[in-house]
Structure formats: structure tokens, C-alpha cells
Amino acid sequence: MTQQVSGSPFLKPFFLKTPVRVVSPLQQRRHTLPASEFRNLTPQDAISVFEIEREAFVSVSGECPLTLNEVLNFLGQCPELSLGWFEEGQLVAFIIGSGWDKERLSQEAMTRHVPNTPAVHIHVLSVHRHCRQQGKGSILLWRYLQYLRCMPGIRRALLICEDFLVPFYRKAGFKGKGPSAISVSNMHFQEMEYTLGGQAYARRNSGC
């Protein structure tokens, strides 16, 4: 698998070591896609992102964390705070974040990106319906947090979630900050925080 995100050491492409063999251009396979790739999302990925998000959230809560226009907005303003997992060129899971400059998240944080801030607001983590129950959400979140460690100046990651998701994020290292001031269609959330510190490191046998 390869990763192509922002040039940080953790996210540079890596390959299994194999003997070097010279192959003529005529022998090379064209249009070969990597089996598994992690990279920043772009506005061109917005439709795929929104389709996965809509299927995952509308069927459960009736609401999407981000509209298509908001997806396009964040991927245009801060693509470096997103991460997509692609398998053979197809998006299977993603995270979208934006910058935030206050201690707690507010309603304004749902649609605003504040550049050059020490905190990242994770808006949405979603996995394609055919790839769920495989641990992909946990793997992607772990990689995203390690990626944030490599970004100068970022010290915290914040998010809101429903009560039933609190154990998932606690297992990933997030700590509760109490009930969120944000509400969407009479839905209430818990706010959680992950403190970033130290350097990113490579985890063996990550399963991805």
C-alpha cells in the first residue's frame, strides 16, 4: 500500500523490498492502480465522499454531518486536513477535518475553517457499506491522528459524537469533554478531545 500525503515521513509511499529488475517501457503495465492508498482528498473526490456519507448517516440519523457543498468547501479550503483510503482507485473510507481556534466546539465550527490553528475539528469519519465491520474505521482514524502529529503547530483533535460512539473514540485515545453545545435536528452529542504530542511512529502489523 502507499500513502501520498503532504510529504510527512509517516505518509510517504512505502513498498516491500524486492530485487530490482529493469523493465522496458513496452513491458510495463499501464494505468496500474495501487492495491491500497492513503492520500488527501480533493474537490474531485467530493461526490464519492458524499455518497458514502449519505448512505452511512441518513439511514441511521436522517442527517449528514456535511452537505455536498460543505464537503466541497472544506476540500477546497483545507484538503490537508482530510484523509481518504482508496483500494484499487475506489474510495472506501475517509475523514474530513478543518481548523478551529477555540477550546470547545460551537455551532459555528460546523461550517467554518480557521487556518493556522492548534486544533483540528474532525467533522466526519465514514466507511463504505461494503467495507464495514473490518476495522477500517479504527485503522484510518489511527493513521489520521499520526498524520496530524507530523503537522507543525497542531496540538489537539476535537469531535462530537452520539453517545453510542463514545466507546469507539475512547478506545482510540479520545477523552470526553462533556455534552456538546451543538445540536442538529434535536440530536445531542458528546464532545471529545485527543491530545497530540510526540512524533508519529510506524505501527507493526496494522492490518491495512
Side-chain angles (χ1 to χ4, degrees):
M1 69 186 72
T2 66
Q3 299 175 303
Q4 301 175 351
V5 187
S6 80
S8 76
F10 178 76
L11 292 156
K12 288 181 179 178
F14 62 90
F15 305 89
L16 294 176
K17 293 183 179 179
T18 54
V20 175
R21 183 168 62 93
V22 177
V23 180
S24 72
L26 293 178
Q27 292 175 305
Q28 292 178 349
R29 293 180 62 190
R30 296 180 179 179
H31 310 299
T32 300
L33 295 169
S36 190
E37 175 189 23
F38 294 82
R39 65 166 172 82
N40 292 136
L41 298 167
T42 71
Q44 287 69 41
D45 299 310
I47 296 297
S48 296
V49 164
F50 186 67
E51 287 177 350
I52 293 173
E53 180 196 17
R54 181 172 56 185
E55 190 281 329
F57 287 91
V58 171
S59 60
V60 175
S61 64
E63 295 283 343
C64 282
L66 298 175
T67 66
L68 178 56
N69 284 338
E70 288 165 350
V71 171
L72 285 165
N73 179 51
F74 286 127
L75 296 187
Q77 289 193 71
C78 48
E80 73 281 1
L81 297 180
S82 70
L83 187 62
W85 185 345
F86 294 79
E87 291 187 342
E88 297 183 350
Q90 299 297 312
L91 182 66
V92 298
F94 68 88
I95 291 175
I96 292 178
S98 66
W100 186 241
D101 60 350
K102 296 180 176 61
E103 178 64 24
R104 298 288 297 267
L105 296 171
S106 67
Q107 203 75 36
E108 184 185 14
M110 302 296 284
T111 56
R112 184 183 175 199
H113 164 59
V114 183
N116 303 315
T117 56
V120 171
H121 172 202
I122 298 176
H123 290 268
V124 56
L125 184 165
S126 190
V127 178
H128 193 284
R129 65 182 182 277
H130 295 312
C131 301
R132 293 174 196 152
Q133 307 303 317
Q134 300 174 20
K136 281 183 164 58
S138 296
I139 293 169
L140 180 63
L141 180 59
W142 185 88
R143 287 182 175 270
Y144 183 75
L145 294 172
Q146 300 312 307
Y147 167 54
L148 293 182
R149 290 179 188 273
C150 296
M151 300 185 72
I154 295 182
R155 297 290 178 262
R156 302 183 301 141
L158 298 166
L159 58 83
I160 60 171
C161 66
E162 293 182 80
D163 290 344
F164 76 94
L165 286 171
V166 168
F168 171 81
Y169 288 109
R170 283 195 185 280
K171 187 175 181 180
F174 284 78
K175 295 182 179 180
K177 292 177 70 69
S180 173
I182 299 170
S183 63
V184 179
S185 297
N186 296 320
M187 297 171 61
H188 299 282
F189 307 95
Q190 296 294 317
E191 184 167 341
M192 306 195 75
E193 178 182 55
Y194 185 95
T195 302
L196 298 160
Q199 298 295 317
Y201 57 93
R203 182 177 66 174
R204 296 179 182 177
N205 301 322
S206 65
C208 54

